[in-house]
Amino acid sequence: MTVASTAHQSRPLRFGLAAPLPRTGPQMRAFARAVETAGFDVLTFPDHLVPSMSPFAGATAAAMATQRLHTGTLVLNNDFRHPVDTAREAASVATVSDGRFELGLGAGHMKSEYDAAGIAFDPGATRVARLIESTNLIRALLDAGPVDFDGAYYRVHAEPGALVAPPKTRVPLLVGGNGTEVLRLGGRVADIVGLAGISHNRDATEVRLSHFNAAGLANRIGLVRDAAGDRFDAIELNVLIQAVVCTDDRHAAAAELATTFGGITPEQVMDSPFLLLGTHEQMAETLTARQRRFGVSYWTVFDELAGRASALGDLAEVIALLR
């Protein structure tokens, strides 16, 4: 079943690399240039309270070392910053990078981080309600609009441009996650919607592959479409690929990944739009087919993660084939 619109099927493909590991200045400059040379469009930084690169610092350093590469956050935990501070930081990175910054926002989900930092871990509905208020405030501040807002969680009153110096180039806003209200928010206000395909239990000790197959992705895109209305075709759809395996034996690799993820069969691994396996040629064909089917044109893979090797090298080969 094809769920993509014609506009989404014809969008240029973009590729992102999510890079959480901390690096020194020389290491970051060399790494960002290597990512750019490999053909990636965006280098993104996640936001977790673990030994990792601060997302705004990483995005700034990478932008300063490159000419074409965009940088971004994938995604900021909204609860770690006030929206005025987020808007100010985003505007600053966008300004110094000459418009090569993309701001990704999420509601947060790792209870252990909240507990360690002494931050209250509110129920999911509360965290999402806060994200909704924050996202609308950030958009208004980045666009130099007047803000006269008294919400349940934030109160901001400012004349246009009084709190944040807006960059010359509009900052694209990505809203990412898997939950219904988060994706509806993305449909209403985001330039890019990031689809994760997974959810977590209350304390994030368990990963649930709730929308990890083709039907699940189609369902989540449907939520975005319904919330977006007439603006749906203008939204870029992004998928965070959880694992990339270069192999001549897709069936054997699928069996191994099924064991790794648990609760999924090898057949479901082969069908999942959140996994990518095969030869470089097969991967390129798979991504082309997925864009035709789902309308996803922006694909993000991980640099080194949880003992897994970086997908940078394999995706560089795939990007070269597709372009």
Side-chain angles (χ1 to χ4, degrees):
M1 177 182 66
T2 299
V3 299
S5 70
T6 302
H8 287 104
Q9 289 174 326
S10 60
R11 271 183 174 270
L13 286 169
R14 292 207 304 157
F15 294 91
L17 184 73
L21 295 182
R23 290 177 166 88
T24 66
Q27 289 171 339
M28 176 56 74
R29 289 190 290 273
F31 176 67
R33 289 167 186 152
V35 173
E36 182 175 59
T37 300
F40 283 86
D41 301 281
V42 191
L43 178 57
T44 63
F45 298 86
D47 189 22
H48 292 289
L49 298 181
V50 296
S52 61
M53 178 66 68
S54 165
F56 284 121
T60 303
M64 294 298 93
T66 56
Q67 300 297 318
R68 175 192 61 82
L69 188 70
H70 283 222
T71 65
T73 59
L74 194 69
V75 289
L76 284 187
N77 184 328
N78 178 66
D79 285 340
F80 292 167
R81 298 165 193 81
H82 191 280
V84 172
D85 189 44
T86 297
R88 183 181 64 166
E89 294 286 348
S92 298
V93 182
T95 297
V96 300
S97 67
D98 298 319
R100 291 183 291 123
F101 178 72
E102 302 174 9
L103 177 64
L105 299 171
H109 67 275
M110 294 293 294
K111 183 176 184 295
S112 59
E113 299 175 346
Y114 286 72
D115 290 345
I119 301 171
F121 186 68
D122 292 321
T126 301
R127 285 180 278 120
V128 172
R130 245 193 321 263
L131 174 66
I132 292 170
E133 287 192 6
S134 179
T135 300
N136 285 291
L137 279 169
I138 290 167
R139 181 75 278 166
L141 290 165
L142 288 174
D143 292 345
V147 180
D148 188 14
F149 182 79
D150 286 291
Y153 307 101
Y154 304 108
R155 286 164 294 282
V156 181
H157 302 272
E159 296 297 319
L163 291 175
V164 174
K168 293 181 179 179
T169 302
R170 184 176 184 271
V171 178
L173 188 62
L174 179 151
V175 172
N178 186 64
T180 296
E181 294 307 318
V182 169
L183 294 180
R184 285 176 176 163
L185 170 66
R188 292 193 301 270
V189 303
D191 302 285
I192 310 163
V193 174
L195 300 140
I198 60 176
S199 55
H200 299 82
N201 62 346
R202 159 67 183 168
D203 60 1
T205 57
E206 176 186 331
V207 175
R208 296 168 177 165
L209 307 180
S210 56
H211 297 86
F212 209 60
N213 58 13
L217 177 59
N219 174 275
R220 299 292 90 180
I221 292 174
L223 289 174
V224 178
R225 182 194 300 110
D226 291 346
D230 292 341
R231 66 184 299 273
F232 178 63
D233 283 351
I235 297 173
E236 186 177 36
L237 299 177
N238 166 263
V239 158
L240 180 60
I241 296 175
Q242 299 294 324
V244 175
V245 180
C246 184
T247 177
D248 293 322
D249 190 341
R250 297 181 73 208
H251 293 282
E256 185 174 342
L257 277 177
T259 300
T260 299
F261 280 89
I264 188 172
T265 68
E267 292 74 24
Q268 289 170 327
V269 167
M270 299 279 283
D271 181 56
S272 174
F274 298 93
L275 300 169
L276 188 62
L277 59 159
T279 65
H280 295 140
E281 291 78 8
Q282 288 171 328
M283 290 182 192
E285 292 168 0
T286 295
L287 292 178
T288 299
R290 288 176 183 172
Q291 182 178 16
R292 287 197 301 267
R293 183 176 181 184
F294 301 107
V296 176
S297 58
Y298 176 15
W299 302 92
T300 299
V301 298
F302 287 105
D303 188 33
E304 298 175 54
L305 177 72
R308 281 186 241 152
S310 173
L312 191 159
D314 287 322
L315 257 291
E317 297 290 340
V318 173
I319 292 168
L321 288 168
L322 288 167
R323 291 177 176 165

